[in-house]
Amino acid sequence: MSKRFLLCFHDFSVWNYQNVTPILEDLKDLAGAPFSVLVIPDTENATPEAIDGFCGVLRKLKSEGFELALHGFKHKAEFSQGRSYAGLVGMNLTGGESEFAGLCEYESSRLLQAALGAWKDLFADENGNVEKPIAFIPPTWFSNKYLPGQVRAEKMLYEDRFSLTTAEGIRYASPVASFAGIPKATEKAAIAYAAFIMKLPVGLPRLAVHPVDFPRLRDVVRDTIRVALNNRRKLVHYSEL
C-alpha cells in the first residue's frame, strides 16, 4: 500500500468563506488535487445573502472534488451544558471552543443532532434529501466518552487527535500536525514535527490547516505539503479509508 496523508482545512464557515476560498484553491494547485474541508455548519445571525453565497461555494467545492466533512455545530460553545471536570479544563485551554468537551450523553447527542440539522439546511435538495457527511471532527479534538459511538452510529468516520475510526470500527493511528492555537515559542518544534511525520516510512499523518495560519504561516503550510509529496505520500480523503 502506498504511503498516504490527509490535508484537512478546518473551520470553513459562513463567516470566512469569501476570504478562505482562494486559499483552498491555492493549496489545491500545490497539492495537485482537492482535499478535505471541515465545515462549521451553523449560520445563525448570518444574512440571507451570506448564507446563499456560502451554500453556492460549498456546492462549487464539492463539484471540484473537495471532500466536505462536519466540524462540530458552532465550534464555540454558547450555552452552559453540564460538563465533566476534564471538559471544563478543555474548555479553558481552548478559549471555549471545545464545544463537545466533557458533555454528558444527552447533551452530546443533542449537539451532534443540531450539527446534522444545520448540515441538512446547507445541503438538502429541493426534496429535502441530503447525504450525511463522511466524517465528523469535534472542534479542537476535545470530546467526551459518548461522542465516538454516537458519530459512528450515524455512519460517519470519527476523528480524534491521535486516530481515525471508521463507521465500521476500523481504527487508524494518525498523528496530526497543526500550528493553530499553540504558543509562538513552540512553533519551531511544531514545524519540525510536521516535517518529521510526513517523512516517516509508515503511518497516516494529517496536516490540519486553519484560517488563522494565513498569511503568516502560509509558507510553512506549503512547505509541509511539499515534504509529504516529495516523500511520495499520496493525498487521500476520509472516504478512501
Side-chain angles (χ1 to χ4, degrees), residues 9 47 85 89 96 110 205 227:
F9 199 104
T47 65
Y85 177 75
V89 171
R110 183 184 65 79
V227 169

Side-chain angles (χ1 to χ4, degrees), residues 1-53:
M1 182 180 294
S2 62
K3 294 186 293 184
R4 301 177 293 175
F5 79 107
L6 285 156
L7 173 57
C8 313
F9 199 104
H10 287 226
D11 302 353
F12 191 67
S13 76
V14 69
W15 307 108
N16 62 24
Y17 74 94
Q18 291 177 313
N19 293 327
V20 170
T21 301
I23 299 174
L24 301 181
E25 298 292 349
D26 178 64
L27 294 180
K28 182 186 75 169
D29 291 342
L30 175 65
F35 45 89
S36 302
V37 178
L38 280 52
V39 179
I40 300 172
D42 180 58
T43 59
E44 184 180 6
N45 299 323
T47 65
E49 293 77 16
I51 296 171
D52 287 345

Side-chain angles (χ1 to χ4, degrees), residues 195-222:
F196 170 74
I197 63 174
M198 294 303 173
K199 292 178 181 177
L200 290 173
V202 295
L204 180 62
R206 287 166 283 156
L207 175 58
V209 183
H210 295 76
V212 295
D213 296 332
F214 297 84
R216 190 171 66 86
L217 296 176
R218 175 180 179 271
D219 289 343
V220 170
V221 171
R222 291 173 63 87

Side-chain angles (χ1 to χ4, degrees), residues 6 16 51 66 76 97 106 119 123 145 174 190 223 237:
L6 285 156
N16 62 24
I51 296 171
F66 285 91
K76 192 174 183 69
E97 295 197 356
Y106 171 79
W119 180 275
F123 291 99
K145 64 182 180 180
S174 180
D223 287 346
H237 290 176

Side-chain angles (χ1 to χ4, degrees), residues 112-130:
L112 176 60
Q113 292 305 315
L116 288 168
W119 180 275
K120 183 177 181 179
D121 290 341
L122 291 175
F123 291 99
D125 62 21
E126 61 274 9
N127 297 316
N129 299 316
V130 62

Side-chain angles (χ1 to χ4, degrees), residues 88-100:
L88 293 174
V89 171
M91 291 288 290
N92 184 61
L93 290 174
T94 61
E97 295 197 356
S98 302
E99 62 180 345
F100 282 86

